[in-house]
Amino acid sequence: MKKIFYIILILVQGKNTTAQHSNDFKLWYLQPAANWNEALPVGNGRLGAMVFGRVENERIQLNEESLWAGKQIDVNNPGASDHLKEIQQLLLNGEN
């Protein structure tokens, strides 16, 4: 069985994106994903999902990082707030 993986990466350059370019970000598929291997991955790295199926019978399989660890993970960095202003300024400058 042939496995197909779809990876979608949309890069947006902060302030240069305007409403008139919104059509550039359309995703169009010729057929619905039949199974998990053809699913559309969505998420932020910590919480994710695979979306597949038909409109009338859509499946969304969720995943969260602590499921893999088998326990709750504390990812809070107590020193992170010391760098918040610097991070905000870098983002405002378009330096991700």
Side-chain angles (χ1 to χ4, degrees):
M1 177 170 63
K2 184 178 177 182
K3 293 184 180 181
I4 300 173
F5 294 93
Y6 294 98
I7 299 176
I8 299 169
L9 178 62
I10 299 174
L11 300 175
V12 178
Q13 181 96 21
K15 301 172 209 164
N16 297 334
T17 302
T18 63
Q20 68 185 6
H21 295 113
S22 64
N23 289 335
D24 295 342
F25 299 110
K26 281 186 181 176
L27 301 176
W28 189 265
Y29 301 96
L30 299 177
Q31 64 193 32
N35 58 54
W36 191 88
N37 292 321
E38 298 174 355
L40 179 65
V42 295
N44 63 8
R46 190 185 76 73
L47 179 63
M50 296 294 273
V51 181
F52 60 103
R54 300 179 98 37
V55 173
E56 65 275 0
N57 187 22
E58 186 173 63
R59 290 185 65 183
I60 302 174
Q61 291 182 333
L62 299 174
N63 192 10
E64 196 270 334
E65 72 177 0
S66 66
L67 294 173
W68 293 99
K71 61 182 178 180
Q72 182 125 15
I73 301 171
D74 182 10
V75 294
N76 291 328
N77 181 346
S81 63
D82 297 339
H83 304 281
L84 184 58
K85 290 292 183 193
E86 176 188 2
I87 292 168
Q88 288 172 333
Q89 190 58 54
L90 287 169
L91 291 172
L92 289 171
N93 294 344
E95 300 177 43
N96 296 340

Coordinates of all heavy atoms in Angstrom, one line a residue:
M1 N 0.9 -1.2 0.0 CA 0.0 0.0 0.0 C 0.9 1.2 0.0 O 1.8 1.4 0.8 CB -0.9 0.0 1.2 CG -1.8 1.2 1.3 SD -3.0 1.2 2.6 CE -2.1 1.0 4.1
K2 N 0.6 2.1 -0.9 CA 1.4 3.4 -1.0 C 0.9 4.3 0.1 O -0.2 4.6 0.3 CB 1.1 4.0 -2.4 CG 1.9 5.2 -2.6 CD 1.7 5.7 -4.0 CE 2.4 7.0 -4.3 NZ 2.2 7.6 -5.6
K3 N 1.9 4.9 0.8 CA 1.6 5.9 1.9 C 1.9 7.3 1.3 O 3.0 7.5 0.8 CB 2.4 5.6 3.1 CG 2.0 4.3 3.8 CD 2.8 4.1 5.1 CE 2.4 2.9 5.7 NZ 3.1 2.6 7.0
I4 N 1.0 8.2 1.5 CA 1.2 9.6 1.1 C 1.2 10.5 2.3 O 0.2 10.4 3.1 CB 0.1 10.0 0.1 CG1 0.1 9.1 -1.1 CG2 0.3 11.4 -0.3 CD1 -1.0 9.3 -2.1
F5 N 2.2 11.3 2.5 CA 2.2 12.2 3.6 C 2.2 13.6 3.0 O 2.9 14.0 2.1 CB 3.5 12.1 4.4 CG 3.6 10.7 5.1 CD1 4.2 9.7 4.5 CD2 3.0 10.6 6.3 CE1 4.3 8.5 5.2 CE2 3.1 9.4 7.0 CZ 3.7 8.3 6.4
Y6 N 1.3 14.4 3.6 CA 1.2 15.8 3.1 C 1.7 16.7 4.2 O 1.3 16.6 5.4 CB -0.3 16.2 2.9 CG -1.0 15.5 1.8 CD1 -1.7 14.4 2.0 CD2 -0.8 15.9 0.5 CE1 -2.3 13.7 1.0 CE2 -1.4 15.2 -0.6 CZ -2.1 14.1 -0.3 OH -2.7 13.5 -1.3
I7 N 2.7 17.5 3.9 CA 3.2 18.5 4.8 C 3.0 19.9 4.2 O 3.4 20.1 3.1 CB 4.7 18.3 5.1 CG1 4.9 16.9 5.7 CG2 5.3 19.4 6.0 CD1 6.4 16.5 5.9
I8 N 2.3 20.7 5.0 CA 2.0 22.0 4.5 C 2.7 23.1 5.3 O 2.5 23.1 6.5 CB 0.5 22.2 4.5 CG1 -0.2 21.2 3.5 CG2 0.1 23.6 4.0 CD1 -1.6 21.1 3.6
L9 N 3.4 23.9 4.7 CA 4.1 25.0 5.4 C 3.8 26.3 4.7 O 4.0 26.5 3.6 CB 5.6 24.7 5.3 CG 6.5 25.7 6.0 CD1 6.2 25.8 7.5 CD2 8.0 25.3 5.7
I10 N 3.2 27.2 5.5 CA 2.9 28.5 5.0 C 3.7 29.5 5.8 O 3.5 29.6 7.0 CB 1.3 28.8 5.1 CG1 0.6 27.8 4.3 CG2 1.0 30.2 4.7 CD1 -0.9 27.9 4.5
L11 N 4.5 30.2 5.1 CA 5.3 31.2 5.8 C 4.7 32.6 5.5 O 4.4 32.9 4.4 CB 6.8 31.2 5.3 CG 7.5 29.9 5.5 CD1 8.8 29.9 4.8 CD2 7.6 29.6 6.9
V12 N 4.5 33.3 6.6 CA 3.9 34.7 6.4 C 4.9 35.7 7.0 O 5.4 35.5 8.1 CB 2.6 34.8 7.2 CG1 2.0 36.2 7.1 CG2 1.6 33.7 6.7
Q13 N 5.3 36.7 6.2 CA 6.2 37.7 6.6 C 5.5 38.9 7.3 O 5.2 39.8 6.7 CB 7.0 38.2 5.4 CG 8.0 39.3 5.8 CD 9.4 38.7 6.0 OE1 9.6 37.6 5.5 NE2 10.3 39.3 6.7
G14 N 5.2 38.7 8.6 CA 4.5 39.7 9.4 C 3.8 40.9 8.8 O 2.7 40.7 8.3
K15 N 4.3 42.1 8.8 CA 3.6 43.3 8.4 C 3.3 43.3 6.9 O 2.4 44.1 6.5 CB 4.4 44.5 8.8 CG 4.7 44.6 10.2 CD 5.7 45.7 10.5 CE 6.5 45.4 11.7 NZ 7.6 46.2 11.9
N16 N 4.0 42.6 6.1 CA 3.8 42.6 4.6 C 2.6 41.9 4.1 O 2.3 42.0 3.0 CB 5.1 42.1 3.9 CG 6.3 42.9 4.2 OD1 6.2 44.1 4.5 ND2 7.5 42.3 4.2
T17 N 1.9 41.2 5.0 CA 0.7 40.4 4.5 C -0.5 41.3 4.6 O -0.8 41.9 5.6 CB 0.5 39.2 5.5 OG1 1.7 38.4 5.4 CG2 -0.6 38.4 5.0
T18 N -1.2 41.4 3.5 CA -2.4 42.2 3.5 C -3.6 41.4 3.1 O -3.5 40.3 2.6 CB -2.3 43.4 2.5 OG1 -2.1 42.8 1.2 CG2 -1.1 44.3 2.8
A19 N -4.8 41.9 3.3 CA -6.1 41.2 2.9 C -6.1 40.9 1.5 O -6.7 39.8 1.1 CB -7.2 42.1 3.3
Q20 N -5.5 41.7 0.6 CA -5.6 41.4 -0.8 C -4.9 40.1 -1.2 O -5.1 39.5 -2.3 CB -5.1 42.6 -1.7 CG -3.6 42.8 -1.5 CD -3.1 44.0 -2.2 OE1 -3.9 44.8 -2.8 NE2 -1.9 44.3 -2.3
H21 N -4.0 39.6 -0.4 CA -3.2 38.4 -0.7 C -3.9 37.2 0.0 O -3.3 36.1 -0.1 CB -1.8 38.5 -0.2 CG -1.0 39.6 -0.9 ND1 -0.6 40.7 -0.3 CD2 -0.6 39.7 -2.2 CE1 0.1 41.4 -1.2 NE2 0.1 40.8 -2.3
S22 N -5.0 37.3 0.5 CA -5.6 36.2 1.3 C -5.9 35.0 0.3 O -5.9 33.9 0.8 CB -6.9 36.6 2.0 OG -7.9 37.0 1.0
N23 N -6.1 35.2 -1.0 CA -6.4 34.1 -1.9 C -5.1 33.3 -2.1 O -5.2 32.1 -2.6 CB -6.9 34.6 -3.2 CG -8.3 35.2 -3.1 OD1 -9.0 34.8 -2.2 ND2 -8.6 36.1 -4.0
D24 N -3.9 33.8 -1.8 CA -2.7 33.0 -1.9 C -2.6 31.8 -1.0 O -1.8 31.0 -1.1 CB -1.5 33.9 -1.7 CG -1.4 35.0 -2.8 OD1 -2.0 34.9 -3.8 OD2 -0.7 36.0 -2.5
F25 N -3.4 31.8 0.1 CA -3.3 30.8 1.1 C -4.4 29.8 1.1 O -4.7 29.2 2.1 CB -3.3 31.5 2.5 CG -2.1 32.4 2.6 CD1 -2.3 33.8 2.7 CD2 -0.8 31.9 2.7 CE1 -1.2 34.7 2.8 CE2 0.2 32.8 2.8 CZ 0.0 34.2 2.9
K26 N -5.1 29.6 -0.1 CA -6.1 28.6 -0.2 C -5.5 27.2 -0.4 O -4.5 27.0 -1.1 CB -7.0 28.9 -1.4 CG -8.0 29.9 -1.2 CD -8.9 30.0 -2.4 CE -9.9 31.1 -2.2 NZ -10.8 31.3 -3.4
L27 N -6.1 26.2 0.3 CA -5.7 24.8 0.1 C -6.8 24.2 -0.6 O -8.0 24.3 -0.2 CB -5.5 24.2 1.5 CG -4.4 24.8 2.3 CD1 -4.3 24.1 3.7 CD2 -3.0 24.8 1.7
W28 N -6.5 23.5 -1.7 CA -7.6 22.8 -2.5 C -7.2 21.4 -2.8 O -6.1 21.2 -3.3 CB -7.8 23.6 -3.8 CG -9.0 23.1 -4.5 CD1 -9.0 22.2 -5.5 CD2 -10.4 23.5 -4.3 NE1 -10.3 22.0 -6.0 CE2 -11.1 22.8 -5.2 CE3 -11.0 24.4 -3.4 CZ2 -12.5 23.0 -5.3 CZ3 -12.3 24.5 -3.5 CH2 -13.1 23.8 -4.4
Y29 N -8.0 20.4 -2.5 CA -7.7 19.0 -2.7 C -8.7 18.4 -3.7 O -9.9 18.8 -3.7 CB -7.7 18.3 -1.4 CG -6.8 18.8 -0.4 CD1 -7.2 19.7 0.5 CD2 -5.4 18.5 -0.5 CE1 -6.2 20.3 1.4 CE2 -4.5 19.0 0.4 CZ -4.9 19.9 1.4 OH -4.0 20.4 2.2
L30 N -8.3 17.5 -4.5 CA -9.2 16.9 -5.5 C -10.1 15.8 -4.9 O -11.1 15.5 -5.5 CB -8.3 16.3 -6.6 CG -7.5 17.3 -7.4 CD1 -6.6 16.5 -8.5 CD2 -8.3 18.3 -8.1
Q31 N -9.7 15.3 -3.8 CA -10.5 14.3 -3.1 C -10.2 14.3 -1.6 O -9.2 14.8 -1.2 CB -10.2 12.9 -3.7 CG -8.7 12.5 -3.4 CD -8.3 11.3 -4.2 OE1 -8.8 11.1 -5.3 NE2 -7.5 10.4 -3.6
P32 N -11.1 13.9 -0.8 CA -10.9 13.9 0.6 C -9.9 12.8 1.0 O -9.6 11.8 0.3 CB -12.3 13.5 1.2 CG -13.0 12.8 0.1 CD -12.5 13.4 -1.2
A33 N -9.2 13.1 2.1 CA -8.2 12.1 2.7 C -9.0 10.8 3.1 O -9.9 10.9 3.9 CB -7.5 12.7 3.8
A34 N -8.6 9.7 2.6 CA -9.3 8.4 2.8 C -8.9 7.8 4.2 O -9.6 7.1 4.8 CB -9.0 7.4 1.7
N35 N -7.6 8.1 4.6 CA -7.2 7.5 5.9 C -6.2 8.4 6.6 O -5.8 9.5 6.0 CB -6.6 6.1 5.6 CG -5.4 6.2 4.6 OD1 -4.5 7.0 4.8 ND2 -5.5 5.4 3.5
W36 N -5.6 8.0 7.7 CA -4.7 8.8 8.5 C -3.5 9.2 7.7 O -2.9 10.3 7.9 CB -4.3 8.0 9.7 CG -3.6 8.9 10.8 CD1 -4.2 9.6 11.8 CD2 -2.2 9.0 10.9 NE1 -3.2 10.2 12.5 CE2 -2.0 9.9 12.0 CE3 -1.1 8.6 10.2 CZ2 -0.7 10.3 12.4 CZ3 0.2 9.0 10.6 CH2 0.4 9.8 11.7
N37 N -3.0 8.3 6.9 CA -1.7 8.6 6.1 C -1.9 9.7 5.1 O -0.9 10.3 4.6 CB -1.3 7.4 5.4 CG -0.8 6.3 6.3 OD1 -0.1 6.6 7.3 ND2 -1.1 5.1 6.0
E38 N -3.2 10.1 4.7 CA -3.4 11.1 3.8 C -4.0 12.4 4.5 O -4.3 13.4 3.9 CB -4.4 10.7 2.7 CG -3.9 9.5 1.9 CD -5.0 9.0 1.0 OE1 -6.2 9.5 1.0 OE2 -4.7 8.1 0.1
A39 N -4.1 12.3 5.8 CA -4.7 13.4 6.6 C -3.9 14.7 6.6 O -2.7 14.7 6.3 CB -4.9 12.9 8.0
L40 N -4.6 15.8 6.9 CA -4.0 17.1 6.9 C -3.5 17.3 8.4 O -4.4 17.4 9.3 CB -5.0 18.1 6.5 CG -4.6 19.6 6.6 CD1 -3.4 19.8 5.6 CD2 -5.7 20.5 6.3
P41 N -2.2 17.5 8.6 CA -1.8 17.7 10.0 C -1.9 19.2 10.3 O -1.6 20.1 9.6 CB -0.3 17.3 9.9 CG 0.1 17.5 8.5 CD -1.1 17.3 7.7
V42 N -2.5 19.4 11.5 CA -2.6 20.7 12.1 C -2.2 20.7 13.5 O -2.2 19.7 14.2 CB -4.1 21.3 12.0 CG1 -4.5 21.4 10.5 CG2 -5.0 20.3 12.7
G43 N -1.7 21.9 14.0 CA -1.3 21.9 15.4 C -0.1 22.9 15.6 O 0.3 23.6 14.7
N44 N 0.4 22.9 16.8 CA 1.4 23.9 17.2 C 2.6 23.2 17.7 O 3.5 23.9 18.3 CB 0.8 24.9 18.2 CG 0.4 24.3 19.5 OD1 0.7 23.1 19.7 ND2 -0.2 25.0 20.4
G45 N 2.8 21.9 17.6 CA 3.9 21.2 18.2 C 3.6 20.6 19.5 O 4.2 19.5 19.8
R46 N 2.8 21.2 20.3 CA 2.4 20.6 21.6 C 1.1 19.9 21.5 O 0.9 18.8 22.0 CB 2.3 21.7 22.7 CG 2.2 21.1 24.1 CD 2.0 22.1 25.1 NE 0.7 22.7 25.1 CZ -0.4 22.1 25.6 NH1 -0.3 20.8 26.0 NH2 -1.6 22.6 25.6
L47 N 0.1 20.5 20.8 CA -1.2 20.0 20.6 C -1.4 19.9 19.1 O -1.2 20.8 18.4 CB -2.2 20.9 21.2 CG -3.7 20.5 21.1 CD1 -4.0 19.2 21.8 CD2 -4.6 21.6 21.7
G48 N -1.8 18.7 18.6 CA -1.9 18.5 17.2 C -3.1 17.6 16.9 O -3.7 17.0 17.7
A49 N -3.4 17.6 15.6 CA -4.5 16.8 15.1 C -4.3 16.4 13.7 O -3.5 17.0 12.9 CB -5.8 17.5 15.2
M50 N -4.9 15.3 13.3 CA -4.9 14.9 11.9 C -6.4 14.9 11.5 O -7.2 14.3 12.1 CB -4.4 13.4 11.7 CG -2.9 13.3 12.1 SD -1.8 14.2 11.0 CE -1.5 13.0 9.7
V51 N -6.7 15.6 10.4 CA -8.0 15.8 9.9 C -8.2 15.0 8.6 O -7.5 15.2 7.7 CB -8.3 17.3 9.7 CG1 -9.8 17.5 9.2 CG2 -8.0 18.1 10.9
F52 N -9.2 14.2 8.6 CA -9.5 13.4 7.3 C -10.9 12.9 7.3 O -11.7 13.0 8.3 CB -8.5 12.3 7.2 CG -8.5 11.2 8.3 CD1 -9.1 10.0 8.1 CD2 -7.9 11.5 9.5 CE1 -9.1 9.1 9.2 CE2 -7.9 10.6 10.5 CZ -8.5 9.4 10.4
G53 N -11.3 12.4 6.1 CA -12.7 11.9 5.9 C -13.5 12.9 5.1 O -12.9 13.8 4.4
R54 N -14.8 12.7 5.0 CA -15.6 13.5 4.2 C -16.3 14.5 5.0 O -16.3 14.4 6.2 CB -16.6 12.6 3.4 CG -16.0 11.6 2.6 CD -16.9 10.7 1.9 NE -17.3 10.9 0.5 CZ -16.6 11.4 -0.5 NH1 -15.4 11.7 -0.3 NH2 -17.1 11.5 -1.7
V55 N -17.0 15.5 4.4 CA -17.7 16.5 5.1 C -18.7 16.0 6.0 O -18.9 16.3 7.2 CB -18.3 17.6 4.1 CG1 -19.2 18.5 4.9 CG2 -17.2 18.2 3.3
E56 N -19.5 15.0 5.5 CA -20.5 14.4 6.3 C -20.0 13.4 7.4 O -20.8 13.0 8.3 CB -21.6 13.7 5.4 CG -21.1 12.6 4.6 CD -20.4 12.9 3.3 OE1 -20.3 14.1 3.0 OE2 -20.0 12.0 2.6
N57 N -18.8 13.0 7.3 CA -18.2 12.0 8.2 C -16.7 12.3 8.4 O -15.9 11.5 8.1 CB -18.4 10.6 7.6 CG -18.0 9.5 8.6 OD1 -18.0 9.7 9.8 ND2 -17.7 8.4 8.1
E58 N -16.5 13.5 9.0 CA -15.1 13.9 9.2 C -14.5 13.3 10.5 O -15.2 13.1 11.5 CB -15.0 15.4 9.3 CG -13.7 16.0 9.4 CD -13.7 17.5 9.3 OE1 -14.3 18.1 10.2 OE2 -13.2 18.1 8.4
R59 N -13.2 12.9 10.4 CA -12.6 12.4 11.6 C -11.4 13.4 12.0 O -10.7 13.9 11.1 CB -12.0 11.0 11.3 CG -13.0 10.0 11.2 CD -12.4 8.6 11.0 NE -11.7 8.3 12.3 CZ -11.0 7.1 12.4 NH1 -10.9 6.3 11.4 NH2 -10.4 6.8 13.5
I60 N -11.3 13.6 13.3 CA -10.2 14.5 13.8 C -9.6 13.7 14.9 O -10.2 13.4 15.9 CB -10.8 15.8 14.3 CG1 -11.5 16.6 13.2 CG2 -9.6 16.6 14.9 CD1 -12.1 17.8 13.6
Q61 N -8.4 13.3 14.7 CA -7.6 12.5 15.7 C -6.7 13.5 16.4 O -5.8 14.1 15.8 CB -6.9 11.4 15.1 CG -7.8 10.3 14.7 CD -7.0 9.1 14.1 OE1 -5.9 9.2 13.6 NE2 -7.7 7.9 14.2
L62 N -6.9 13.7 17.7 CA -6.1 14.6 18.5 C -4.9 14.0 19.2 O -4.9 12.8 19.5 CB -6.9 15.2 19.6 CG -8.2 16.0 19.1 CD1 -9.0 16.5 20.3 CD2 -7.7 17.2 18.3
N63 N -3.9 14.8 19.4 CA -2.7 14.3 20.1 C -2.1 15.4 20.9 O -2.2 16.6 20.6 CB -1.6 13.9 19.1 CG -0.5 13.1 19.7 OD1 -0.6 12.7 20.9 ND2 0.6 12.9 19.0
E64 N -1.6 15.1 22.1 CA -1.0 16.1 23.0 C 0.3 15.5 23.5 O 0.4 14.4 23.8 CB -2.0 16.4 24.1 CG -1.8 17.6 24.9 CD -0.9 17.4 26.1 OE1 -0.9 16.3 26.6 OE2 -0.2 18.3 26.5
E65 N 1.3 16.4 23.7 CA 2.6 15.9 24.0 C 2.8 15.0 25.2 O 3.6 14.1 25.3 CB 3.6 17.0 24.0 CG 3.5 17.9 25.2 CD 4.5 19.0 25.3 OE1 5.4 19.1 24.4 OE2 4.5 19.8 26.2
S66 N 2.0 15.3 26.3 CA 2.2 14.5 27.5 C 1.6 13.1 27.4 O 2.0 12.2 28.2 CB 1.5 15.2 28.7 OG 0.1 15.3 28.5
L67 N 0.8 12.8 26.3 CA 0.4 11.4 26.1 C 1.6 10.5 25.8 O 1.6 9.4 26.2 CB -0.6 11.4 24.9 CG -1.9 12.1 25.1 CD1 -2.7 12.1 23.8 CD2 -2.7 11.4 26.2
W68 N 2.6 11.1 25.1 CA 3.8 10.3 24.8 C 4.7 10.0 26.0 O 5.4 9.0 26.0 CB 4.5 10.9 23.6 CG 3.7 10.9 22.4 CD1 3.0 11.9 21.8 CD2 3.6 9.8 21.5 NE1 2.4 11.5 20.7 CE2 2.7 10.2 20.4 CE3 4.0 8.5 21.5 CZ2 2.3 9.4 19.4 CZ3 3.7 7.7 20.4 CH2 2.8 8.1 19.4
A69 N 4.7 11.0 26.9 CA 5.5 10.9 28.0 C 4.9 9.9 29.1 O 5.6 9.4 30.0 CB 5.8 12.2 28.6
G70 N 3.6 9.8 29.0 CA 2.9 8.9 30.0 C 2.6 9.7 31.3 O 2.2 9.1 32.3
K71 N 3.0 10.9 31.4 CA 2.7 11.7 32.6 C 2.6 13.2 32.2 O 3.0 13.6 31.1 CB 3.8 11.5 33.6 CG 5.2 12.0 33.1 CD 6.3 11.7 34.1 CE 7.6 12.1 33.5 NZ 8.7 11.9 34.4
Q72 N 2.1 14.0 33.1 CA 2.1 15.5 32.8 C 3.5 16.0 32.9 O 4.3 15.7 33.7 CB 1.2 16.1 33.9 CG 1.1 17.6 33.7 CD -0.4 18.0 33.6 OE1 -1.2 17.3 34.1 NE2 -0.6 19.2 33.2
I73 N 3.8 16.9 31.9 CA 5.1 17.5 31.8 C 5.0 19.0 32.1 O 4.1 19.7 31.6 CB 5.6 17.3 30.4 CG1 5.7 15.9 30.0 CG2 7.0 18.0 30.2 CD1 6.0 15.7 28.5
D74 N 5.8 19.4 33.0 CA 5.9 20.9 33.3 C 6.9 21.5 32.5 O 8.1 21.4 32.7 CB 6.2 21.1 34.8 CG 6.2 22.5 35.2 OD1 5.8 23.4 34.4 OD2 6.7 22.8 36.3
V75 N 6.5 22.3 31.4 CA 7.4 22.9 30.5 C 7.6 24.4 30.8 O 8.2 25.1 30.0 CB 7.0 22.7 29.0 CG1 7.0 21.3 28.6 CG2 5.6 23.3 28.8
N76 N 7.1 24.8 31.9 CA 7.2 26.2 32.3 C 8.7 26.5 32.7 O 9.3 25.8 33.4 CB 6.3 26.6 33.5 CG 4.9 26.5 33.1 OD1 4.5 26.8 32.0 ND2 4.0 26.1 34.1
N77 N 9.2 27.6 32.1 CA 10.5 28.0 32.4 C 10.4 29.3 33.3 O 10.1 30.3 32.8 CB 11.3 28.4 31.1 CG 12.7 28.8 31.4 OD1 13.1 29.1 32.5 ND2 13.5 28.8 30.3
P78 N 10.8 29.2 34.6 CA 10.6 30.3 35.5 C 11.4 31.5 35.1 O 11.1 32.6 35.5 CB 11.1 29.7 36.9 CG 11.6 28.4 36.6 CD 11.3 28.0 35.2
G79 N 12.5 31.3 34.3 CA 13.3 32.5 33.9 C 12.9 33.1 32.6 O 13.5 34.0 32.1
A80 N 11.9 32.5 32.0 CA 11.5 33.0 30.6 C 11.0 34.5 30.6 O 11.3 35.2 29.7 CB 10.4 32.1 30.1
S81 N 10.4 34.9 31.7 CA 9.9 36.3 31.7 C 11.0 37.3 31.7 O 10.8 38.4 31.3 CB 9.0 36.4 33.0 OG 9.7 36.3 34.1
D82 N 12.2 36.9 32.1 CA 13.3 37.8 32.1 C 13.7 38.3 30.6 O 14.3 39.3 30.4 CB 14.6 37.2 32.7 CG 14.4 36.9 34.2 OD1 13.5 37.5 34.8 OD2 15.1 36.0 34.7
H83 N 13.3 37.5 29.6 CA 13.6 37.7 28.2 C 12.4 38.1 27.4 O 12.5 38.3 26.2 CB 14.2 36.4 27.6 CG 15.4 36.0 28.4 ND1 16.7 36.5 28.2 CD2 15.6 35.0 29.3 CE1 17.5 35.9 29.0 NE2 16.9 35.0 29.7
L84 N 11.2 38.4 28.1 CA 10.0 38.7 27.4 C 10.1 39.9 26.5 O 9.7 39.9 25.3 CB 8.8 38.8 28.3 CG 7.5 39.0 27.7 CD1 7.1 37.9 26.7 CD2 6.4 39.1 28.8
K85 N 10.6 41.0 27.0 CA 10.8 42.3 26.3 C 11.6 42.1 25.0 O 11.3 42.6 24.0 CB 11.3 43.4 27.2 CG 10.3 43.9 28.2 CD 9.2 44.6 27.6 CE 8.2 45.1 28.7 NZ 7.0 45.5 28.2
E86 N 12.7 41.4 25.2 CA 13.7 41.1 24.1 C 12.9 40.3 23.0 O 13.0 40.6 21.8 CB 14.9 40.4 24.6 CG 15.9 40.0 23.5 CD 17.0 39.1 23.9 OE1 17.0 38.8 25.1 OE2 17.8 38.8 23.1
I87 N 12.2 39.3 23.4 CA 11.5 38.5 22.4 C 10.4 39.3 21.7 O 10.3 39.2 20.5 CB 10.9 37.2 23.2 CG1 12.0 36.3 23.7 CG2 9.9 36.5 22.3 CD1 11.5 35.3 24.6
Q88 N 9.7 40.1 22.5 CA 8.6 40.9 21.8 C 9.3 41.9 20.8 O 8.7 42.0 19.7 CB 7.9 41.7 22.9 CG 7.0 40.9 23.8 CD 6.4 41.7 24.9 OE1 7.0 42.6 25.4 NE2 5.2 41.2 25.4
Q89 N 10.4 42.5 21.1 CA 11.0 43.4 20.2 C 11.5 42.7 19.0 O 11.4 43.2 17.8 CB 12.2 44.1 20.9 CG 12.7 45.3 20.1 CD 11.7 46.3 19.7 OE1 11.0 46.8 20.6 NE2 11.5 46.6 18.4
L90 N 12.1 41.5 19.1 CA 12.5 40.7 17.9 C 11.4 40.4 17.0 O 11.5 40.5 15.8 CB 13.2 39.5 18.4 CG 14.6 39.6 19.0 CD1 15.1 38.3 19.7 CD2 15.6 40.1 18.0
L91 N 10.2 40.0 17.6 CA 9.0 39.7 16.8 C 8.5 40.9 16.1 O 8.1 40.9 14.9 CB 8.0 39.0 17.7 CG 8.3 37.6 18.2 CD1 7.2 37.2 19.2 CD2 8.4 36.7 17.1
L92 N 8.5 42.0 16.8 CA 8.0 43.3 16.2 C 9.0 43.7 15.0 O 8.5 44.3 14.1 CB 7.9 44.4 17.2 CG 6.8 44.3 18.2 CD1 7.0 45.3 19.3 CD2 5.5 44.4 17.5
N93 N 10.2 43.4 15.1 CA 11.2 43.7 14.1 C 11.1 42.6 12.9 O 11.9 42.7 12.0 CB 12.6 43.7 14.6 CG 12.8 44.8 15.6 OD1 12.1 45.8 15.7 ND2 13.9 44.7 16.4
G94 N 10.3 41.6 13.1 CA 10.2 40.6 12.0 C 11.2 39.6 12.1 O 11.4 38.8 11.1
E95 N 11.9 39.4 13.2 CA 13.0 38.5 13.4 C 12.4 37.3 14.3 O 12.5 37.3 15.5 CB 14.2 39.1 14.1 CG 14.8 40.2 13.3 CD 15.9 40.9 14.0 OE1 16.8 40.2 14.6 OE2 16.0 42.1 14.0
N96 N 11.9 36.3 13.6 CA 11.3 35.2 14.3 C 12.4 34.3 14.9 O 12.2 33.5 15.7 CB 10.4 34.4 13.4 CG 9.2 35.2 12.9 OD1 8.9 36.1 13.6 ND2 8.6 34.8 11.9

